[in-house]
Amino acid sequence: MTTQQTTTGNAAPALSPDGRIHSIDQFRGYTVLGMFVVNYLGHYRCHYNFHHNDYFLSYADTIMPSFMFAVGISFRLTILKRLAGGAYLKTYWSYLKRCIALCLISMAMYGIGQDFDSYQEFFTDPTSDEIAQAEWDQFVAGDAEGTIPPHFKDQWWLLAKLIAKSYLWETLAVIGITQLFVLPFANLRFWYRFVVLVVLGAAHVALSEWFNWQFFYGYTIDGSYIDLPSGLNNWMGEIWGTGSNRSWDGGILGILTWSVAMLAGTLCYDLMAGNTATQTIKNLLRWGTLFLIAGYAMSCLSCLYDLPADPESTTQFVPAAADKRITNSRGKAKGGMRAQLAASPVIPDWRAAQGRSFTSFFAEPPFVARPKNRLVNYWMMQKRFASLPYVVFVSGMAFVLLALFVVITDIGGIQIGVFRTFGMNPLAAYVLHKMVLMNVVFHVVPKNSAAWLYWSGLFVYLAVVYLLVRGLEKQGVYIRL
């Protein structure tokens, strides 16, 4: 790969006569359709690859980084156009408004994560759960209708912190905030962006070791955040005061690794810029291979957390497990953590590498459940935490899959209609699919349905969403932010 090919400034991939890059539309449409499929099937008792899994890579887990990758491609295209005229402040302001809009749409669709079921909650101290009984009795008696409850601000402040830590991080909000975070780097040259990508990934690893692992998962012991003899040191949780609440989709620091996927998409744009379809395929396959190898190699570190298959073994080193009293809100509901935790989830004890065969260091392949004797650790490919191995590996898959679409679409001239429809109007499709799922499908196809019913429901639901979005396409209606 020549320097000129990877540092292209404002060159663009070859456009079709209608001004679009159809392979990118097809790839984006595939990710949108995949999202709809797993959002539906994840509700039912089907194969684990259609469910999001906390501790290994399922098919369902490949969709979100792939979509972030697709957003990165389009982001690079639009940022170059908008900044070409030097309109920096106008461009940055437009992306800030877009980020806010996506967050508001996300909260309108998913809620804010918590309900206030009773006005009495505003008379309850969120830290001690003690009720200001005198003030509450006064309100009940009708003597304090115009008075702000004593813990009104405390309850809303706690909710604001929980939103920032956990509840905000649904797909649209993640996209908007990640795009805003990547914005200062999106106009840099190829290798500068690659360096930023590496630095952000390393920062996520370092911050996870420092505090983010325990903070993200909400580790506590009987309500305490810190118990050093047991290995509990959730000092960030103590500062935030968010209790044993567990985050999802990376939480607040997931921005770092989601940015890795988005920046990989911006690199992909450059690899396509000004090149023939054949050269583009070569570039994508080379970089896809690089990302796949890097992601899988990092995931192999998870093997250092394998417990001996034979509990009586004296030849294999036994990595330290975390104190079993450590739990979070999810774990308490299940009577303890669902899987055994590693005492040092980010930095392994290298003694675990001694006396083992070479093949024992190879992690399980994608779409295969983790071994049951493996302690939970950072290096697993896991969507909930948005670990670096996971995001890097799936970004590699996205490079390779896009190369396939270049072959099929840009060279072969074949376009799949449903991919085109969803790929050209992804925001409208996303909002409509959620409305159909939540307001219709999940009400008529029970969660414990037999396979024939939920598979039939899948095709009916996809057909309905497709017809709705196709109707918008025929009328030339595209939702843009």
Side-chain angles (χ1 to χ4, degrees):
M1 186 179 303
T2 66
T3 302
Q4 189 267 334
Q5 289 168 337
T6 58
T7 58
T8 302
N10 296 325
L15 301 177
S16 62
D18 62 1
R20 300 196 65 86
I21 307 167
H22 291 310
S23 57
I24 295 177
D25 283 340
Q26 291 281 291
F27 173 74
R28 187 187 304 111
Y30 155 77
T31 64
V32 172
L33 178 62
M35 193 182 306
F36 297 170
V37 171
V38 300
N39 283 352
Y40 172 86
L41 288 177
H43 193 70
Y44 300 102
R45 299 175 300 175
C46 54
H47 192 273
Y48 62 71
N49 264 299
F50 294 109
H51 290 255
H52 295 299
N53 294 280
D54 289 353
Y55 308 127
F56 65 92
L57 181 64
S58 66
Y59 170 76
D61 296 331
T62 67
I63 300 300
M64 188 166 176
S66 298
F67 190 77
M68 299 294 286
F69 183 92
V71 170
I73 299 173
S74 302
F75 189 23
R76 176 68 171 166
L77 170 64
T78 56
I79 201 73
L80 290 176
K81 288 182 177 180
R82 294 186 181 188
L83 295 182
Y88 285 87
L89 289 179
K90 182 179 179 180
T91 298
Y92 293 157
W93 174 241
S94 69
Y95 277 107
L96 176 60
K97 291 189 292 184
R98 183 177 189 271
C99 170
I100 294 172
L102 286 173
C103 289
L104 291 176
I105 293 171
S106 178
M107 287 190 285
M109 292 175 63
Y110 294 99
I112 57 176
Q114 179 176 312
D115 299 326
F116 289 119
D117 297 319
S118 170
Y119 194 63
Q120 189 180 41
E121 292 183 50
F122 299 127
F123 292 81
T124 305
D125 187 326
T127 303
S128 64
D129 287 332
E130 293 182 0
I131 299 175
Q133 194 64 49
E135 289 86 348
W136 172 247
D137 291 342
Q138 187 179 16
F139 169 76
V140 172
D143 298 330
E145 287 289 343
T147 304
I148 297 176
H151 295 292
F152 181 84
K153 293 180 181 179
D154 297 333
Q155 290 285 358
W156 275 99
W157 176 235
L158 175 60
L159 177 58
K161 291 187 289 184
L162 289 171
I163 289 173
K165 178 182 185 287
S166 301
Y167 303 150
L168 178 62
W169 305 105
E170 296 287 355
T171 303
L172 294 181
V174 170
I175 292 170
I177 295 175
T178 302
Q179 196 167 46
L180 194 64
F181 186 79
V182 169
L183 181 59
F185 315 115
N187 196 39
L188 298 178
R189 294 175 70 82
F190 183 96
W191 288 110
Y192 292 161
R193 274 176 286 130
F194 181 74
V195 170
V196 171
L197 181 155
V198 172
V199 170
L200 293 179
H204 190 263
V205 174
L207 292 173
S208 297
E209 166 62 19
W210 186 20
F211 67 85
N212 191 48
W213 180 271
Q214 295 199 14
F215 174 61
F216 176 92
Y217 280 108
Y219 287 174
T220 59
I221 294 179
D222 296 329
S224 298
Y225 295 96
I226 298 176
D227 186 340
L228 296 181
S230 70
L232 177 65
N233 190 20
N234 186 10
W235 57 268
M236 184 61 75
E238 185 172 50
I239 292 173
W240 279 57
T242 48
S244 58
N245 171 269
R246 182 181 69 162
S247 304
W248 57 72
D249 284 354
I252 195 167
L253 288 184
I255 298 171
L256 298 174
T257 44
W258 295 128
S259 294
V260 168
M262 192 173 289
L263 283 169
T266 70
L267 300 181
C268 178
Y269 175 89
D270 287 21
L271 296 173
M272 301 177 74
N275 290 317
T276 64
T278 301
Q279 185 59 49
T280 292
I281 292 168
K282 292 179 180 178
N283 288 345
L284 295 180
L285 290 178
R286 288 168 184 162
W287 280 86
T289 301
L290 174 65
F291 273 70
L292 287 169
I293 292 174
Y296 180 73
M298 285 188 286
S299 77
C300 289
L301 290 174
S302 66
C303 297
L304 295 175
Y305 294 90
D306 289 352
L307 298 172
D310 179 8
E312 304 299 325
S313 174
T314 58
T315 59
Q316 184 177 337
F317 178 79
V318 181
D323 192 307
K324 289 187 177 181
R325 294 176 299 159
I326 294 177
T327 187
N328 57 23
S329 56
R330 183 79 172 188
K332 288 175 182 176
K334 292 178 174 291
M337 297 301 287
R338 184 170 57 175
Q340 194 170 9
L341 311 171
S344 178
V346 181
I347 300 178
D349 191 324
W350 299 106
R351 289 176 294 176
Q354 299 173 4
R356 295 177 53 169
S357 65
F358 178 73
T359 56
S360 69
F361 292 105
F362 286 94
E364 68 280 0
F367 316 132
V368 175
R370 72 175 181 92
K372 293 183 179 181
N373 66 321
R374 180 167 299 160
L375 300 176
V376 175
N377 63 87
Y378 175 89
W379 302 104
M380 295 173 170
M381 294 191 191
Q382 46 185 311
K383 175 180 180 289
R384 176 174 291 277
F385 193 72
S387 67
L388 185 61
Y390 158 67
V391 171
V392 170
F393 186 86
V394 178
S395 296
M397 293 179 63
F399 275 111
V400 174
L401 186 57
L402 181 56
L404 178 61
F405 278 114
V406 172
V407 173
I408 295 172
T409 304
D410 295 343
I411 295 178
I414 299 173
Q415 291 191 57
I416 300 173
V418 66
F419 291 170
R420 182 200 66 245
T421 298
F422 289 158
M424 293 176 63
N425 210 357
L427 182 56
Y430 185 83
V431 173
L432 287 170
H433 107 278
K434 202 66 180 178
M435 293 172 62
V436 173
L437 270 185
M438 302 306 295
N439 297 323
V440 181
V441 176
F442 288 160
H443 291 284
V444 296
V445 183
K447 192 170 185 177
N448 61 349
S449 294
W452 72 266
L453 180 55
Y454 66 70
W455 280 108
S456 301
L458 171 66
F459 293 107
V460 173
Y461 140 72
L462 291 178
V464 170
V465 176
Y466 171 74
L467 290 174
L468 291 172
V469 183
R470 177 63 176 152
L472 296 177
E473 182 183 17
K474 288 182 176 180
Q475 299 177 60
V477 177
Y478 300 94
I479 299 180
R480 303 277 190 263
L481 287 179

